[in-house]
Amino acid sequence: MAAVRHRQVEANGISMHVAEAGPAGPSAPAVLFVHGFPELWSSWRHQMGYLAARGYRCVAPDLRGYGGTTAPPDPSSYTVFHIVGDLVALLDALRLPQVFVVGHDWGAIVSWSLCLLRPDRVRALVNLSVAFMPRRPGVKPLDYFRSAYGEDYYVCRFQRHIGRQKPGIEAEFTGFDLKRFFKMALTVKAIGSSAMSLRKMQGNKKQIELPSWEGRAWCSGRAYRLNWELMAPWTGAQVKVPTKFIVGDGDLAYHHPGVQRYIHKGGMKRDVPMLVEVVVIKGAGHFIQQERAQEISDHIYDYIKKFQAGVLAPKLSKL
């Protein structure tokens, strides 16, 4: 495992905690790792060590509201524009004009948005778990999740108090055993309406053993509804960055209604025309970069090393 360097970087009006590994000079190819929920930079520790040993400069920030990075109190400060703006400002502060990007979960959504809004800053993308979700003018994301999983699904519960003059989800969390909640979030492999239901998770009394790959995690921020409104100008826009997508066949995100058809029947290829490869890993769950650390590290390296002679135009394969 390569040594990890930690520092605070002022970017986009906030202080970002950034972990780095590998060469620090401007000549080394750089990889930006974007974590998900409920995670921190440390969920990438295996991939950082692997790529640092192969000459890559690895940069893994805690996103806005997480870990050692500033957490503004207003939920409207967590839009996709804020978070993508944080990453672009971080790259500017580190003097990195273009990077490889690797994202997971909520970080995959952020990474898709980064590629959509600022493709000039991304050399190639490897996204894990969450497929690209094109904006649908007639379907708000929360309506989709409610219809599929009900009002108690964790995304819906995080959103329900925004804009109301009453305690938000944080107040509800005070009655939770948070250590137990995050253990369940890290180990859930259920598929269906009960998966990630806060009420059912709170009422579950079974003993939970954390997997050996588990790392620390915490989060803040919720702006699905506002993001949907703000992204209206990008309705129908394509992600035009060379891309590889990886998901476990036991991942809840892979079993959202319509997702597998979208991934495998041409929908994602239409919206991400430079999508080169889709990998489905059998027996893997949601936190795939920790659960299958070596395998994911190999996949990332095998893809991004193709670009070392310059920004290549990869041959588009049939998916």
Side-chain angles (χ1 to χ4, degrees):
M1 179 70 71
V4 177
R5 307 180 297 274
H6 296 269
R7 59 168 157 161
Q8 294 296 129
V9 177
E10 299 300 316
N12 200 28
I14 63 172
S15 177
M16 299 188 73
H17 169 247
V18 181
E20 294 184 77
S27 62
V31 184
L32 175 68
F33 292 95
V34 189
H35 69 78
F37 167 85
E39 299 172 273
L40 300 172
W41 73 269
S42 56
S43 64
W44 298 113
R45 61 198 180 279
H46 303 292
Q47 289 71 40
M48 292 175 70
Y50 181 100
L51 292 176
R54 288 158 178 77
Y56 289 85
R57 180 180 179 181
C58 300
V59 178
D62 289 340
L63 295 183
R64 173 181 292 240
Y66 293 72
T69 293
T70 302
D74 187 350
S76 66
S77 297
Y78 292 86
T79 72
V80 66
F81 292 132
H82 288 87
I83 299 172
V84 169
D86 295 343
L87 295 179
V88 172
L90 174 63
L91 298 183
D92 289 343
L94 299 180
R95 298 184 180 180
L96 295 173
Q98 197 174 55
V99 294
F100 296 107
V101 175
V102 181
H104 171 255
D105 184 72
W106 166 244
I109 298 174
V110 172
S111 297
W112 290 121
S113 298
L114 172 62
C115 293
L116 189 65
L117 300 173
R118 291 300 305 270
D120 58 306
R121 305 304 296 267
V122 182
R123 202 169 186 183
L125 170 69
V126 180
N127 248 352
L128 313 179
S129 182
V130 177
F132 181 63
M133 295 185 289
R135 183 184 185 277
R136 300 176 183 177
V139 181
K140 296 180 181 180
L142 290 182
D143 293 339
Y144 167 84
F145 285 121
R146 285 192 185 100
S147 65
Y149 301 114
E151 186 65 45
D152 199 49
Y153 186 60
Y154 81 106
V155 171
C156 301
R157 289 285 292 278
F158 284 171
Q159 295 289 322
R160 63 186 296 182
H161 296 292
I162 292 179
R164 302 181 186 180
Q165 300 302 314
K166 62 175 68 175
I169 191 68
E170 293 85 356
E172 293 188 47
F173 260 119
T174 59
F176 281 30
D177 179 343
L178 290 180
K179 185 175 181 180
R180 180 176 179 79
F181 168 79
F182 283 110
K183 280 185 178 181
M184 295 190 73
L186 287 165
T187 56
V188 65
K189 281 193 176 180
I191 296 169
S193 61
S194 64
M196 293 302 287
S197 163
L198 295 189
R199 195 182 313 278
K200 292 179 180 179
M201 291 172 77
Q202 186 180 20
N204 189 318
K205 302 302 181 184
K206 292 182 180 179
Q207 174 119 13
I208 304 167
E209 293 297 330
L210 282 176
S212 60
W213 48 259
E214 183 270 335
R216 295 183 308 125
W218 185 241
C219 79
S220 176
R222 46 195 206 277
Y224 267 96
R225 183 187 298 113
L226 187 54
N227 283 337
W228 181 84
E229 296 171 357
L230 294 173
M231 290 298 291
W234 284 268
T235 301
Q238 295 175 312
V239 173
K240 295 183 177 179
V241 168
T243 300
K244 179 174 185 173
F245 179 70
I246 307 171
V247 66
D249 68 355
D251 191 329
L252 172 63
Y254 186 57
H255 293 272
H256 286 325
V259 165
Q260 292 184 39
R261 178 177 179 81
Y262 175 71
I263 292 173
H264 299 295
K265 300 298 183 180
M268 192 157 77
K269 181 71 169 180
R270 178 194 64 236
D271 296 328
V272 188
M274 298 182 76
L275 177 66
V276 176
E277 186 179 5
V278 170
V279 178
V280 180
I281 298 181
K282 293 187 179 300
H286 181 67
F287 295 94
I288 194 168
Q289 80 274 38
Q290 300 183 74
E291 182 182 345
R292 299 291 182 88
Q294 181 68 43
E295 192 171 355
I296 294 302
S297 297
D298 287 338
H299 274 297
I300 294 169
Y301 177 63
D302 289 345
Y303 183 59
I304 66 176
K305 71 180 181 181
K306 300 175 183 179
F307 297 82
Q308 284 313 99
V311 180
L312 304 180
K315 183 179 179 181
L316 303 184
S317 61
K318 294 181 180 181
L319 303 177

